Amino acid sequence: MIPALLIALKQRRAIWQGSIASRVLFLMTAGLILWPWFSATALAGLSFVVPQETVERGWALPFWAVIQIPVAVVALMLVHYYHGYYQKTFAAPAEAGSS
């Protein structure tokens, strides 16, 4: 998964300029990757102001996105490369050459 994420990071401008599906998948993938970090940080911060029992009930929040991350990365790569292949293959008809 790391190579696919590195490719997505390297080609983020091309993904963003691609189809609406690639943009949506890019945002969803980024959200799923960042979710564990944000939720763990929020739980750690809340542990100072909320009772311990309340914080312990939310221990699974950072793990909610773990199963969906690989699916989102694969979907992003498939849509991005399918869109790129489609543009290269069917973009414009070849101009008639003079014979």
Side-chain angles (χ1 to χ4, degrees), residues 14-75:
I15 292 171
W16 193 256
Q17 293 171 353
S19 66
I20 189 75
S22 63
R23 280 186 230 150
V24 169
L25 283 170
F26 185 75
L27 291 174
M28 282 179 34
T29 303
L32 287 170
I33 290 170
L34 294 175
W35 172 255
W37 294 91
F38 288 139
S39 59
T41 302
L43 284 173
L46 286 174
S47 68
F48 293 108
V49 293
V50 176
Q52 181 179 358
E53 296 80 25
T54 306
V55 175
E56 286 177 356
R57 277 188 258 145
W59 71 269
L61 284 174
F63 299 108
W64 284 0
V66 170
I67 294 174
Q68 289 89 10
I69 291 172
V71 175
V73 170
V74 169

